[in-house]
Amino acid sequence: MPAQKADPMEVDVRRYRRWRDRRREAERHRARQPRPGKEVDDLLDFARAWAPFGGPPEEETLVNFGMCPRRFTERLWQVIGEFGCGRADETELKSAYPQHE
């Protein structure tokens, strides 16, 4: 039995369906990923702004986030662990906000 040549239209349709399925799976994967919200953005911006000064004064974290400095640092590292940040940011933040054991 001789091999039949594939119809070019069928080849294109199969290729398109594979591409569509991969795209849909990628969209589903992105939808399952946690997204940072305003609180996370505000917390990271605040931490970055105060990092060159060794961290914010206690009253600043209390007024802006309702947290003591220790809790602010715990939350900061929780956010970084969940959402990440750039390597340069992380290095600077480590020196200003050391993690408590």
Side-chain angles (χ1 to χ4, degrees), residues 54-99:
E58 183 174 346
E59 55 273 2
E60 288 294 320
T61 58
L62 187 62
V63 168
N64 287 288
F65 297 98
M67 301 177 197
C68 68
R70 184 180 180 102
R71 176 64 188 119
F72 176 81
T73 300
E74 289 171 359
R75 179 68 179 129
L76 174 65
W77 288 107
Q78 180 185 10
V79 164
I80 290 171
E82 190 172 337
F83 298 104
C85 69
R87 186 175 300 270
D89 280 342
E90 190 170 341
T91 301
E92 187 175 22
L93 293 174
K94 278 183 182 178
S95 64
Y97 306 96
Q99 291 177 298

Side-chain angles (χ1 to χ4, degrees), residues 3-70:
Q4 291 182 342
K5 272 191 154 181
D7 180 22
M9 179 74 91
E10 286 180 35
V11 171
D12 287 344
V13 167
R14 274 190 249 119
R15 185 179 303 135
Y16 167 76
R17 286 179 179 161
R18 282 193 307 269
W19 172 82
R20 181 195 60 199
D21 292 343
R22 284 193 305 268
R23 190 189 73 211
R24 284 180 179 169
E25 182 56 35
E27 288 172 1
R28 281 192 289 273
H29 178 73
R30 277 192 302 274
R32 290 188 298 262
Q33 298 301 313
R35 292 195 179 109
K38 181 166 173 25
E39 178 214 359
V40 170
D41 291 339
D42 291 347
L43 191 121
L44 287 171
D45 290 343
F46 182 83
R48 287 181 188 119
W50 281 100
F53 307 103
E58 183 174 346
E59 55 273 2
E60 288 294 320
T61 58
L62 187 62
V63 168
N64 287 288
F65 297 98
M67 301 177 197
C68 68
R70 184 180 180 102

